[in-house]
Amino acid sequence: MAFKFNPNAAEERKYITKPGTYEVVVKSFKADYLPPRADFYVKFALENSDGETVFSEIFNKPDKSGEYTRLNEFVAATASDEEKQALLARGEFEIDEDFIKGIAERSIGRRLKVVVTERKYTKRDGTEGVAYSGSYFRKHPDGPMVGPF
């Protein structure tokens, strides 16, 4: 595996540490497979104006309700009007990894609102931990595109 130096690797990272709705920009994503069933997913890094980060995942499978609710929310929150019209024109269609990756790639640098929720869990040492993640996606009031300043 090749090494690539990251000069920002030693910088202190800040994370969103309380539930709420935040205006964020999509900073990056990682596509991977979740064991044991090899479910394909994309994990997004979302950053607010204070430089705080929260992560959120979208899977290439329906939610427990049988719908693609999170995927639909993310696409609707980050798509331009032209992209929305193109998707509507397609009607109902099958999605695959390439579709999810395409959505992820085009979302870099776009803004949206994310609802951050907390989840309590038990750490390996038996103590209680709290994890924060982006659970719901909403449209940014000024649209997904970040304009020139």
Side-chain angles (χ1 to χ4, degrees):
M1 176 178 245
F3 172 78
K4 181 179 179 184
F5 175 65
N6 177 358
N8 299 320
E11 297 292 324
E12 186 174 336
R13 297 179 190 189
K14 299 187 297 184
Y15 297 97
I16 293 175
T17 57
K18 49 184 195 181
T21 302
Y22 298 85
E23 292 184 5
V24 296
V25 172
V26 180
K27 296 305 273 187
S28 63
F29 75 92
K30 175 186 173 191
D32 206 350
Y33 295 90
L34 185 66
R37 295 182 303 274
D39 293 329
F40 178 77
Y41 75 101
V42 173
K43 183 176 188 173
F44 293 97
L46 309 170
E47 187 177 283
N48 68 14
S49 60
D50 293 330
E52 298 171 321
T53 300
V54 68
F55 297 98
S56 187
E57 296 88 15
I58 294 178
F59 288 84
N60 184 22
K61 67 177 189 175
D63 302 329
K64 291 179 182 177
S65 66
E67 302 291 323
Y68 289 92
T69 306
R70 289 170 55 85
L71 176 60
N72 260 313
E73 286 180 359
F74 187 83
V75 172
T78 59
S80 68
D81 290 340
E82 295 81 20
E83 291 164 336
K84 289 176 187 176
Q85 291 305 315
L87 287 168
L88 285 170
R90 290 178 72 175
E92 191 171 314
F93 58 94
E94 296 296 319
I95 62 168
D96 59 11
E97 292 174 18
D98 290 335
F99 176 78
I100 304 284
K101 284 181 188 173
I103 294 299
E105 288 169 357
R106 72 125 174 93
S107 72
I108 299 297
R110 295 194 183 181
R111 62 185 171 196
L112 67 151
K113 292 172 89 173
V114 64
V115 178
V116 175
T117 57
E118 71 177 17
R119 177 182 55 84
K120 295 184 180 184
Y121 65 97
T122 303
K123 296 180 183 179
R124 290 183 183 174
D125 64 4
T127 61
E128 185 178 84
V130 179
Y132 296 91
S133 64
S135 297
Y136 306 99
F137 307 105
R138 305 290 181 252
K139 293 190 307 186
H140 189 280
D142 297 326
M145 307 303 187
V146 178
F149 297 102

